[in-house]
Amino acid sequence: MSGSPTYSFIKERIEFEFQKLEKDKVTPWAFFLSGKELKLTDFFGKQVYYFGIEFEGSPREVFWKGFIQPFLQDITSRSFTETREFCITREIEMKQPIEETARLLKAGINRIYERMSDIDRGLRGLGFPNSVPKYNPRSEIETSEAFVLERMDAELALAPKKRKTLNTIYEEQKFWFWFIGIAIAVLGLLVKLFG
């Protein structure tokens, strides 16, 4: 999909963010039942540590209801900030790049939650994922997407309005420039003839 001149830059940066998040904070959960300890640091610097227990109750609650969301919000906030700054620095109209940022963020969020669903199913099925139903993270996705849309709306509302140059004003109001010019010329001619 092609988009604004900034699309490739935005896409590369956001995809990298989600790849890193998946590798560092999501994939380690897949080894929860491997007999090795699971030790991760949450977004706020707190250690998440599990060893030798089932993937139910508290561990599953942490996995779905608090661990990944702050990382997603951080990626969202930083991505919009970087897009805004990129557009301001290069004097690019922001509307389309901001909307593209939102679409790319929503796609990344969906990929993260899809990966989490696969991990969750494998852990609950004790290595036999088809033995248990897949968890549908629709609620978590909707919450994260709502944050993206809220931030997008704020960015668009606060985007600096492009200042009109004389050329832009002329292009938008050509008729009136011509009309006033002709009226002044006719008036000048009438003053010479009858003045």
Side-chain angles (χ1 to χ4, degrees):
M1 172 184 162
S2 64
S4 70
T6 63
Y7 182 78
S8 174
F9 169 81
I10 295 167
K11 181 173 185 271
E12 178 184 332
R13 189 171 26 80
I14 290 175
E15 285 182 352
F16 175 77
E17 291 276 1
F18 282 108
Q19 288 167 3
K20 185 173 183 342
L21 178 65
E22 182 178 340
K23 178 182 174 288
D24 295 347
K25 302 298 180 180
V26 177
T27 299
W29 286 88
F31 303 101
F32 188 89
L33 300 176
S34 69
K36 296 179 181 175
E37 61 186 23
L38 173 73
K39 191 188 287 186
L40 292 169
T41 304
D42 76 6
F43 183 77
F44 303 102
K46 181 182 172 195
Q47 284 290 314
V48 174
Y49 176 82
Y50 294 109
F51 179 69
I53 60 173
E54 300 279 323
F55 184 70
E56 58 187 26
S58 176
R60 190 164 184 249
E61 185 75 15
V62 168
F63 181 71
W64 282 113
K65 301 296 181 196
F67 183 75
I68 207 68
Q69 291 79 4
F71 291 106
L72 295 174
Q73 289 182 346
D74 180 58
I75 289 172
T76 297
S77 294
R78 285 187 295 106
S79 295
F80 278 118
T81 297
E82 289 170 9
T83 297
R84 178 179 6 95
E85 289 172 356
F86 185 85
C87 290
I88 289 170
T89 301
R90 289 162 180 79
E91 298 182 0
I92 297 170
E93 182 66 37
M94 282 191 213
K95 185 177 187 316
Q96 188 176 1
I98 292 292
E99 290 170 347
E100 289 167 347
T101 298
R103 279 194 303 276
L104 289 163
L105 286 166
K106 291 196 309 189
I109 287 165
N110 276 272
R111 280 194 309 274
I112 290 292
Y113 280 118
E114 182 64 28
R115 175 75 171 125
M116 289 174 67
S117 287
D118 291 341
I119 290 170
D120 175 81
R121 191 175 190 193
L123 293 173
R124 285 185 299 115
L126 302 174
F128 300 97
N130 293 335
S131 68
V132 295
K134 190 171 186 176
Y135 177 74
N136 182 355
R138 178 60 16 217
S139 171
E140 290 85 357
I141 291 171
E142 286 173 358
T143 299
S144 293
E145 287 184 344
F147 183 78
V148 169
L149 293 177
E150 181 182 312
R151 183 65 191 267
M152 179 189 77
D153 290 344
E155 289 289 345
L156 291 174
L158 296 173
K161 304 303 177 218
K162 201 169 185 180
R163 294 167 73 194
K164 292 185 179 185
T165 64
L166 189 55
N167 285 341
T168 307
I169 295 169
Y170 173 77
E171 288 300 320
E172 291 175 353
Q173 305 295 331
K174 229 183 249 188
F175 169 79
W176 291 109
F177 274 92
W178 281 93
F179 178 78
I180 292 169
I182 291 170
I184 290 171
V186 168
L187 187 60
L189 185 63
L190 290 175
V191 167
K192 276 189 176 181
L193 289 174
F194 300 108

